[in-house]
Amino acid sequence: EGKKMQNPYKKQIGGSHYNRYKIQPAEFVNKNKLLFAEGNATKYIMRHPHKGSGKQDLEKAIHYIEMIIERDYK
């Protein structure tokens, strides 16, 4: 019998900045079937006050939002 896989949303590789949330960004993105750009914008907005990247994470989120606007509203 194979070993039961641990819930992938209960672990984080490389830090703990997402473990503080009741729902991790990856779980939210996957369960709601968000597209890549929407998922990344969500991730960067959620982590900006915790990871140490601060303003740069918000700038990355803006960049992905600009990509969404270009893709969907050009």
Side-chain angles (χ1 to χ4, degrees), residues 36-42 44-45 55-71:
F36 183 80
E38 284 83 348
N40 274 330
T42 300
Y44 286 123
I45 288 168
K55 182 180 175 185
Q56 186 177 58
D57 276 345
L58 291 175
E59 290 167 339
K60 289 178 181 180
I62 290 168
H63 184 219
Y64 279 102
I65 292 167
E66 290 170 340
M67 289 182 212
I68 296 165
I69 292 168
E70 169 70 17
R71 182 192 69 207

Side-chain angles (χ1 to χ4, degrees), residues 33-51:
K33 297 180 172 40
L34 297 183
L35 297 175
F36 183 80
E38 284 83 348
N40 274 330
T42 300
K43 171 186 77 171
Y44 286 123
I45 288 168
M46 289 179 73
R47 82 179 198 181
H48 84 90
H50 308 295
K51 188 167 186 278

Side-chain angles (χ1 to χ4, degrees), residues 4-52:
K4 186 176 179 182
M5 184 168 69
Q6 178 187 357
N7 181 342
Y9 299 115
K10 298 291 183 199
K11 73 177 186 178
Q12 180 181 334
I13 298 170
S16 61
H17 44 280
Y18 296 129
N19 290 335
R20 70 183 70 247
Y21 298 110
K22 292 181 181 182
I23 300 172
Q24 287 198 28
E27 182 176 6
F28 177 83
V29 167
N30 288 332
K31 288 188 174 181
N32 289 288
K33 297 180 172 40
L34 297 183
L35 297 175
F36 183 80
E38 284 83 348
N40 274 330
T42 300
K43 171 186 77 171
Y44 286 123
I45 288 168
M46 289 179 73
R47 82 179 198 181
H48 84 90
H50 308 295
K51 188 167 186 278

